Amino acid sequence: MRLLRAGGRGGRQGFTLLEVMIALSIVAIGIVRCMQTFTASLSLQDRASRQTRAVLYARAAMDALLFEPEIKNRRHVCEPPSREGFELCTEVRVAEGGDGVDLRMFNEDSEFGLRYLQVDVTWQDGRGQKSYGLKSLRVAPVPEND
């Protein structure tokens, strides 16, 4: 069977069915590759979007700690996962020398102390568990029971 095409020398010439099938398979391979690239880019965009939301979630929690009027110590307190699947853990404690600060300016008689703040957000990704953490220091009044 020959598919005819116009023109050519000596009359009618055409493409064979095999030539048409090879051309279509090449086009199909190209379309499949384009779809794979599109799917992969959507997946990467989703992962980047979730990571951005996790960073914003951690930043909001850290801002809440930084602006809390009377900050109290709490050792590794975790909240249940949010609707989006983010688990938030916070830690507030008295800063120590191992935290990379010089504590000589805060003596025992000082009414202010240095607090170490840490916020960790964890979530499940298609490739496993991911986490994002923030650490900061804050000068705060020393509570009576500290």
Side-chain angles (χ1 to χ4, degrees):
M1 174 177 196
R2 294 182 69 73
L3 297 174
L4 300 178
R5 67 177 168 183
R9 291 187 206 154
R12 304 166 83 181
Q13 292 185 355
F15 296 107
T16 64
L17 182 59
L18 181 61
E19 291 171 328
V20 172
M21 288 177 55
I22 290 173
L24 286 176
S25 64
I26 291 171
V27 169
I29 289 172
I31 289 173
V32 168
R33 294 287 182 180
C34 287
M35 294 302 289
Q36 287 175 340
T37 302
F38 182 70
T39 303
S41 68
L42 284 178
S43 174
L44 286 175
Q45 188 274 335
D46 182 56
R47 289 179 63 208
S49 176
R50 286 187 56 78
Q51 185 170 354
T52 299
R53 288 193 309 268
V55 168
L56 291 173
Y57 192 53
R59 185 70 242 175
M62 180 61 79
D63 287 345
L65 288 176
L66 288 171
F67 293 109
E68 195 173 298
E70 292 185 26
I71 194 161
K72 304 222 186 298
N73 290 343
R74 56 188 133 192
R75 290 280 184 179
H76 203 71
V77 176
C78 293
E79 297 177 6
S82 70
R83 273 187 350 212
E84 295 185 81
F86 298 124
E87 182 181 6
L88 176 71
C89 296
T90 58
E91 179 177 356
V92 178
R93 61 177 168 76
V94 175
E96 301 165 351
D99 295 325
V101 295
D102 184 7
L103 299 173
R104 288 182 286 183
M105 69 173 86
F106 299 100
N107 58 31
E108 292 179 15
D109 299 331
S110 177
E111 60 186 74
F112 291 97
L114 196 59
R115 296 282 187 265
Y116 171 86
L117 312 173
Q118 182 171 343
V119 173
D120 293 307
V121 175
T122 56
W123 69 97
Q124 281 299 109
D125 193 352
R127 296 183 181 198
Q129 189 171 15
K130 303 289 182 183
S131 66
Y132 180 78
L134 293 173
K135 298 175 184 177
S136 186
L137 296 170
R138 174 185 165 186
V139 175
V142 176
E144 300 293 325
N145 58 2
D146 212 16

